[in-house]
Structures are given as structure tokens and as C-alpha cells.
């Protein structure tokens, strides 16, 4: 036998041996027509298939050749466990997972009580899958975290207030390291929305700010931190959710801007993300009639609505894929959100999203119905098998790139007890807490009418005896009060003498309490969008000022409360109520130098 022929035969046998070790490589188990792969490259993917290593593309072709059409359809779905259980009552989530064989699952706080159960569950989920799963999570840091047993870190706006883009990469690296220890392989982050609307009810602290270029720089840094940790980046929510006044979890927002405005603001961070190698981009459930004028009938009430971006061919294919030249996978936002589920059936939304150009369907409310609807659409000629293959190719490429699917002979995972011990050790280390505290301290942003007086003088003075903390929300009020007490104790200020009290508004004793106090600390949390709470807090501030009492404000939510309480002599925006945010805000009251944070958003003018 000639040496060249022998070499080719060896390569062929090695390839077959590798493939036989790949979950899902056997005969189809969920029905459907087994279809061979077609072209080796479709001109799109992550990484771009034109530059795809031939070995990786060969693996994609081999996998596709062994997948039935139904298996390919299932790869498009990332499901939540509750939906699996609801659709087929009486069956366990694992049994439903084995039957449907989706491409991934997404887990939430209620699924994740501690490190032990998280790792054990994640391994059970993977063992039920013939093709390795995405095990996804929303772990943005700060206000959006799912791990109650891990450090919450800081939200994106706090990171941006620090003025240091490198801290975004450090945060992403820390989060990714935690997730890797817990055996997650997909994190839906970072947020690339430009929060230019102070009334935005859903983005807020999750955004890096209101300056598009600055947001883009922080997004790129965050992506680099994820990639350094071996985690794909899922950038959200295209074409931009930062200027909406409606939460798409509860309704269907609308942005009526012309394309020029999107180019100048909303798309700047997404272009930056694409340049940085974003692996996936998540769509937003918003109406943008100047981008997608097509109207459809809502199943909710029969009214005409603009086709949401998630279901829009012009936005996902025409703009994101063709205009912005994105070559990764497009993933929908959760399809069980009311912005979609109120107006479209589960099967209808799945088909429309694929027709629009989406590759991954996140959390369809009825996963089986979605899969069946896609198959029916193919049988009826509304979708092509080639269109499904195009998306599956992108998914498999990313799974291969990040080691979700591994070749035969891969290093075996740690024995379960060792993996749990390793994760628990990692979580108990001081590293993540130190990073969170460092960011929180750098982020604290001062403001006030008498700011100069506090540049060399602490707000809480040694001679004070009674400090009253006043707020409109019990949780943030008590968090801040306890943090101030702890700061006083650790700094050894007023030991055995300084008294801290709290008062929750409204309270008839407000005037008397103010009079009996040596200083007032007001705790506001998003009163800018709560007119009633804003009125109560303004009244308390005025009472303190009229009584000649020293008064300070802790803005514990978005920094827009700085505009609502602009008459405060001194105030500190802390960008959230995670432990590090609150701790840094409390300590700022005792410092005789002002913290260094810079406001990352433009405050609305009075009356806006």
C-alpha cells in the first residue's frame, strides 16, 4: 500500500474513532429524517468560517452528517426546566430533557441553592444529553445575579463609574472563573445597551452608562475578560434596549427612532462588541417601526403591532447580519417574556424568529410545541432544512471552539466530590470580595450643594451622638443602617456612645425624630421613577434642612435620584445594594476625603 493512501486511511479511522466518542454520534433517537451535511462553509459563524481551521469544520460536518432533522431542530433550543415540566405534567425534568434533547438549558436562582447541588445537577443534565449542552445562566454581576451563595460583585454602571475599563475585564474574568468551577459553560453577558432614558425600568444599573463610545469600550473589556477565561460572550439586547420606558418582561416596548439615531447611539457598543469577537448577540423584544415597518396581528387582542426585533428579518438579517457584518450566533431574548408570549404562540414565535435570522431560541414557553412548529414549517416549505443547518453549524462551531463538545481522549472531569470541594474553596476565597470592594469604593460618586465643605471633613463627626437613617424602602434602609453601624465599629468611631436609629416613611414621628437627631442620612432607591416616594423623601430632606441638621443622601439605586434630591448638601451614589456597594457607601460617610467616582450617565434636567 502506498504511504499516501495509508496516511489517508489512518486519518479517516482516527476521525471515525473521535466521532464515535461524541455524544449524539449514534443512530438518531428522536425521529425524523437523517440528513447529510452539505457545504463545508456557509459564510457565517463564530469564528468566521472563511478563516475556520479545516479540522474544526471537518468535525462540524461529521456531526451534522449523523444528526437527524429533529435533532438539528432541538439544537436550536435553550430551555428552562420549569417549561419542560409544565408541558408534560408528571414527567421529571431529566426525563423531558432526554426526550427533547435541546441544545441547552438555562438555570435560575431557585435551581441553584448551593455549590454542591449546582455541580451535581449540572452533571446530571449533561449526562442526560447525547450532544453536550449549553448550561446557561444570567450572571451579569450586581443587580442581575443567580448565585445566592457567591459574591454579587458590582453592576456595570458601578464599574463604569470607577473610570477604569480594565475593571470590566477583571469582573468578567472573576465571574467566568466562578461559573467554570460550577460547570456552567454559557453566561448571558455583557449588556451593551446605552441607558439614555432615566425612566428605563429594566436596564438601568445593568448598563455601562449613557455615552455610546464609553459603553463600547467597557463592553470590549468585558468580552476580553470572558474570552481570557474560556467563556463565550453573549452581548445583549440588539438593536438596543436602553432608551425604552417599558420592561419587555411585562410589555412590548417601542423605539420610534430613525436608523440614523440607532447608528449614532444604540449600535455603537454592538459594533465594538463585534470587533472584539462577540460570539453571540441577543435580540431585544422591542418594536422599532422605522427599522421594521411590518405590522402583525396580536393574538392577545387582535390589534396591529410592529413586528418585534426578535422576529424581524430586516433587523436580525438585514442590519445585524449584513450591515453590521456579525458572523456569530444570534440568540433571542427569552421567548416566554410577555413582549412575545402575549402576542404570539410558542410555535409561531419560534418559526418567525428563525425566518428572521435567529439561530438560538431561548426559553420558548412550550419547548415541544416550538420544536413541532419548526418541523411543521419545514414540511410546509415555510422554512428550509438548509436554514436549520445554517444555524446548527454556528452553534456547533461555538460549542467546539469553547470545548463544550470535546474530542475523544479528552481529560476526564474531576471526580464529583473533588469538583465540589474545589468550587467551595474558590467561592470562599477573598479574591472576588476584594475586587468587588475595590470597584465599589472607586465607583462612589459624590454630589451636593455643599460639596466643598466635605472635601476635607467627614459627614459623621466625633461629637455626634444620634444618627437617624430615613428611607422609603425597608430593605435598602436597613441594609444601609447596618452598614453604617458596622463602619463605625470597624473604624472605632463613637464606641459605646454613637446611636443609630432608622425611620421608614411615611411616619408621623418624622418631625420629632429629625429634631432629636444630630445628623440625618436619607436612603433613596430609584425614587426618580416613584413620584410618591420622591415626594416623601423631598419632604424629609426639606425638614432636615429647615431644622439646620446635617443631612446626607445615599442613592442606593440608579444615580438619577441625584436629580430628584438635588438640594442635598452632600450625597453619594453607590450604584446598587450589593454588600460591597452598601459597605462602600457607608464608609464614605466617615471619610474626610470625597470618593473618586464619576457619573457615567447624563442626569435629566429638572422637570424632565
Amino acid at each position: 500500500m502506498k504511504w499516501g493512501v495509508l496516511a489517508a486511511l489512518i486519518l479517516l479511522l482516527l476521525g471515525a474513532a473521535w466521532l464515535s466518542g461524541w455524544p449524539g454520534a449514534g443512530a438518531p433517537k428522536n425521529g425524523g429524517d437523517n440528513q447529510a451535511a452539505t457545504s463545508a462553509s456557509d459564510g457565517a459563524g463564530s469564528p468566521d468560517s472563511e478563516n475556520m481551521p479545516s479540522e474544526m469544520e471537518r468535525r462540524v460536518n461529521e456531526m451534522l452528517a449523523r444528526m437527524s432533522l429533529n435533532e438539528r431542530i432541538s439544537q436550536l433550543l435553550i430551555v428552562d426546566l420549569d417549561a419542560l415540566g409544565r408541558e408534560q405534567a408528571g414527567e421529571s425534568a431529566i426525563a423531558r430533557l432526554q426526550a427533547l434533547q435541546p441544545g441547552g438549558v438555562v438555570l435560575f436562582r431557585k435551581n441553584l441553592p448551593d455549590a454542591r447541588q449546582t455541580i451535581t445537577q449540572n452533571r446530571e443534565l449533561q449526562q442526560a444529553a447525547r450532544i453536550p449542552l449549553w448550561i446557561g445562566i444570567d450572571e451579569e454581576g450586581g443587580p442581575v445575579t443567580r448565585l445566592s451563595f457567591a459574591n454579587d460583585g458590582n453592576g456595570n454602571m458601578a464599574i463604569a463609574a470607577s473610570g477604569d475599563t480594565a475593571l470590566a475585564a477583571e469582573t468578567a474574568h472573576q465571574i467566568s472563573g466562578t461559573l467554570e468551577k460550577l460547570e456552567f459553560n454559557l453566561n448571558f453577558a455583557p449588556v451593551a445597551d446605552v441607558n439614555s432614558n432615566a425612566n428605563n425600568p429594566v436596564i438601568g444599573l445593568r448598563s455601562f452608562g449613557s455615552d455610546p463610545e464609553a459603553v463600547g469600550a467597557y463592553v470590549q473589556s468585558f468580552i476580553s475578560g470572558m474570552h481570557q477565561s474560556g467563556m463565550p460572550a453573549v452581548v445583549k439586547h440588539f438593536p438596543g434596549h436602553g432608551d425604552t420606558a417599558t420592561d419587555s418582561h411585562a410589555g412590548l416596548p417601542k423605539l420610534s427612532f430613525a436608523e440614523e439615531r440607532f447608528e449614532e447611539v444604540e449600535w455603537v457598543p454592538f459594533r465594538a462588541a463585534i470587533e472584539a469577537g462577540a460570539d453571540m448577540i441577543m435580540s431585544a423584544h422591542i418594536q422599532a417601526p422605522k427599522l421594521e415597518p411590518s405590522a402583525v396581528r396580536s393574538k392577545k387582542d387582535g390589534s396591529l403591532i410592529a413586528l418585534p426585533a426578535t422576529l424581524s428579518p430586516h433587523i436580525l438579517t438585514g442590519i445585524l447580519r449584513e450591515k453590521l457584518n456579525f458572523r456569530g450566533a444570534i440568540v433571542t431574548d427569552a421567548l416566554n417574556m410577555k413582549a412575545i408570549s402575549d402576542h404570539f404562540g410558542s410555535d409561531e414565535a419560534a418559526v418567525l424568529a428563525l425566518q428572521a435570522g435567529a439561530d438560538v431560541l431561548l426559553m420558548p414557553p412550550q419547548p415541544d410545541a416550538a420544536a413541532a412548529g419548526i418541523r411543521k414549517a419545514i414540511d410546509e416549505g415555510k422554512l428550509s432544512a438548509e436554514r436549520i443547518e445554517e444555524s446548527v453549524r454556528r452553534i456547533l462551531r461555538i460549542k467546539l471552539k469553547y470545548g463544550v463538545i470535546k474530542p475523544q481522549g479528552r481529560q476526564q472531569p474531576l471526580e464529583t466530590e473533588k469538583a465540589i470541594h474545589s468550587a467551595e474553596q474558590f467561592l470562599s476565597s477573598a479574591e472576588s470580595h476584594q475586587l468587588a470592594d475595590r470597584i465599589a469604593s472607586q465607583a462612589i460618586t459624590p454630589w451636593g450643594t455643599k460639596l466643598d465643605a466635605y472635601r476635607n471633613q467627614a459627614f459623621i463627626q466625633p461629637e455626634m451622638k444620634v444618627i437617624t437613617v430615613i428611607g422609603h424602602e425597608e430593605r435598602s434602609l436597613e441594609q444601609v443602617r447596618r452598614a453604617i453601624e458596622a463602619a463605625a465599629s470597624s473604624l472605632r468611631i463613637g464606641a459605646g456612645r454613637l446611636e443609630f436609629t432608622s425611620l421608614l416613611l411615611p411616619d408621623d414621628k418624622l418631625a420629632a425624630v429629625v429634631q432629636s437627631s444630630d445628623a440625618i442620612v436619607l436612603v433613596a432607591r430609584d425614587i426618580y421613577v416613584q413620584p410618591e416616594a420622591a415626594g416623601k423623601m423631598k419632604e424629609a430632606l426639606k425638614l432636615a434642612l429647615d431644622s439646620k441638621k446635617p443631612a446626607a443622601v445615599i442613592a442606593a439605586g440608579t444615580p438619577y435620584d441625584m436629580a430628584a434630591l438635588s438640594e442635598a448638601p452632600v450625597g453619594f451614589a453607590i450604584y446598587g445594594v450589593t454588600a460591597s456597594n452598601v459597605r462602600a457607601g457607608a464608609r464614605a460617610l466617615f471619610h474626610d476625603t470625597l470618593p473618586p467616582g464619576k457619573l457615567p450617565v447624563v442626569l435629566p434636567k429638572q422637570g424632565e
Side-chain angles (χ1 to χ4, degrees):
M1 182 180 291
K2 291 187 177 180
W3 181 242
V5 175
L6 179 60
L9 181 58
I10 291 171
L11 286 173
L12 182 62
L13 291 171
L14 285 173
W18 177 86
L19 191 57
S20 68
W22 168 67
K29 298 181 183 179
N30 63 341
D33 303 319
N34 199 41
Q35 298 195 8
T38 54
S39 64
S41 173
D42 62 1
S46 179
D48 191 329
S49 60
E50 291 178 3
N51 301 312
M52 179 73 62
S54 57
E55 176 64 14
M56 184 182 289
E57 196 67 4
R58 182 187 65 78
R59 294 178 184 177
V60 170
N61 288 338
E62 289 176 341
M63 287 183 255
L64 278 166
R66 286 182 169 266
M67 293 172 68
S68 71
L69 179 56
N70 283 356
E71 284 178 317
R72 296 180 185 197
I73 291 169
S74 292
Q75 270 301 295
L76 310 179
L77 307 179
I78 295 181
V79 303
D80 71 293
L81 300 182
D82 283 351
L84 285 175
R86 280 194 306 267
E87 199 169 17
Q88 298 290 339
E91 291 192 51
S92 70
I94 293 294
R96 293 298 312 126
L97 190 71
Q98 288 174 326
L100 181 61
Q101 290 293 313
V105 297
V106 58
L107 301 178
F108 294 91
R109 185 169 286 232
K110 62 186 176 182
N111 309 123
L112 309 167
D114 54 37
R116 172 173 293 276
Q117 291 187 59
T118 297
I119 290 172
T120 301
Q121 174 182 244
N122 287 354
R123 291 192 170 197
E124 288 176 353
L125 293 170
Q126 287 290 16
Q127 287 166 5
R130 292 191 292 276
I131 300 174
L133 292 165
W134 290 121
I135 300 184
I137 189 171
D138 287 293
E139 194 67 17
E140 298 172 11
V144 178
T145 60
R146 308 299 190 212
L147 302 173
S148 60
F149 52 89
N151 182 21
D152 288 343
N154 289 270
N156 289 342
M157 197 171 287
I159 295 170
S162 75
D164 185 354
T165 55
L167 291 176
E170 287 190 53
T171 299
H173 182 74
Q174 181 66 43
I175 291 172
S176 299
T178 299
L179 295 180
E180 186 270 335
K181 287 288 185 182
L182 295 169
E183 303 190 6
F184 289 92
N185 52 33
L186 189 65
N187 185 18
F188 298 105
V191 171
D193 299 311
V194 179
N195 204 82
S196 50
N197 188 337
N199 294 306
N200 194 314
V202 66
I203 302 301
L205 296 173
R206 301 166 65 194
S207 167
F208 287 109
S210 61
D211 179 270
E213 296 290 345
V215 172
Y218 281 98
V219 166
Q220 287 190 325
S221 178
F222 200 100
I223 291 172
S224 73
M226 296 183 79
H227 284 170
Q228 288 165 15
S229 305
M231 185 74 70
V234 185
V235 183
K236 55 192 186 184
H237 310 81
F238 190 82
H241 211 319
D243 206 346
T244 61
T246 301
D247 182 351
S248 52
H249 294 83
L252 181 56
K254 179 185 287 187
L255 290 181
S256 297
F257 303 134
E259 186 167 330
E260 290 74 20
R261 152 62 195 250
F262 282 98
E263 282 274 16
E264 293 171 1
V265 179
E266 278 75 17
W267 297 345
V268 171
F270 288 99
R271 286 187 183 276
I274 292 168
E275 290 174 6
D279 303 279
M280 301 185 189
I281 290 181
M282 180 182 288
S283 66
H285 301 330
I286 64 169
Q287 300 173 90
K290 296 289 179 62
L291 301 180
E292 177 55 86
S294 301
V296 292
R297 291 280 177 192
S298 164
K299 76 176 181 70
K300 180 180 180 181
D301 55 17
S303 62
L304 279 175
I305 59 171
L307 196 62
T310 293
L311 312 179
S312 164
H314 185 68
I315 293 174
L316 296 192
T317 297
I319 295 174
L320 181 55
R321 188 69 74 197
E322 296 174 359
K323 186 181 181 71
L324 273 61
N325 200 34
F326 178 56
R327 289 291 178 262
I330 298 173
V331 54
T332 71
D333 204 345
L335 294 173
N336 64 357
M337 292 161 60
K338 287 186 178 295
I340 297 296
S341 63
D342 274 358
H343 305 284
F344 304 90
S346 191
D347 55 343
E348 179 187 15
V351 171
L352 288 172
L354 291 172
Q355 289 175 333
D359 302 298
V360 180
L361 307 176
L362 179 62
M363 295 175 63
Q366 296 175 292
D368 280 327
I374 295 167
R375 180 61 191 248
K376 182 180 177 183
I378 295 171
D379 292 341
E380 294 176 349
K382 296 176 182 177
L383 278 171
S384 68
E386 290 75 22
R387 171 68 191 86
I388 303 303
E389 180 184 314
E390 176 185 315
S391 290
V392 177
R393 281 183 176 279
R394 294 188 180 109
I395 294 164
L396 294 178
R397 287 170 185 151
I398 303 173
K399 284 188 173 183
L400 280 164
K401 178 181 177 182
Y402 289 95
V404 179
I405 298 173
K406 297 178 176 68
Q408 190 180 35
R410 64 188 182 277
Q411 181 180 357
Q412 291 300 310
L414 283 176
E415 186 268 327
T416 300
E417 285 300 321
K418 290 182 179 179
I420 292 168
H421 178 68
S422 176
E424 289 174 340
Q425 279 193 317
F426 183 87
L427 290 166
S428 65
S429 70
E431 184 179 345
S432 66
H433 298 279
Q434 291 169 350
L435 175 61
D437 285 345
R438 179 157 52 95
I439 294 171
S441 297
Q442 288 183 225
I444 302 294
T445 304
W447 89 94
T449 60
K450 296 184 179 179
L451 208 55
D452 286 342
Y454 293 98
R455 293 190 186 281
N456 299 295
Q457 172 184 306
F459 174 75
I460 295 180
Q461 293 292 302
E463 67 272 13
M464 293 177 177
K465 296 182 179 179
V466 180
I467 310 296
T468 300
V469 186
I470 298 173
H472 62 99
E473 181 205 53
E474 186 171 7
R475 182 190 173 208
S476 56
L477 171 63
E478 290 307 313
Q479 281 179 292
V480 172
R481 183 190 63 77
R482 288 194 299 269
I484 296 173
E485 285 191 77
S489 176
S490 67
L491 297 170
R492 298 181 180 179
I493 296 174
R497 175 183 54 78
L498 194 56
E499 178 186 344
F500 296 94
T501 63
S502 59
L503 184 144
L504 181 65
L505 297 175
D507 194 303
D508 293 339
K509 300 187 292 293
L510 174 62
V513 168
V514 168
Q515 285 296 335
S516 63
S517 303
D518 294 307
I520 302 296
V521 177
L522 296 163
V523 181
R525 188 178 182 190
D526 298 328
I527 63 171
Y528 186 78
V529 292
Q530 302 175 67
E532 186 176 347
K536 293 171 186 174
M537 294 293 284
K538 288 178 181 179
E539 178 187 351
L541 176 60
K542 184 177 186 303
L543 190 58
L545 296 179
D546 290 346
S547 303
K548 308 298 182 184
K549 301 289 183 177
V553 173
I554 298 290
T558 59
Y560 302 113
D561 286 349
M562 295 165 65
L565 296 173
S566 59
E567 299 304 314
V570 63
F572 302 103
I574 66 173
Y575 303 97
V577 292
T578 66
S580 58
N581 297 144
V582 175
R583 187 162 48 243
R587 293 179 73 90
L589 297 168
F590 295 93
H591 289 169
D592 57 9
T593 56
L594 291 174
K598 302 296 181 184
L599 191 64
V601 295
V602 176
L603 292 181
K605 297 177 182 178
Q606 291 292 333
E608 288 187 355

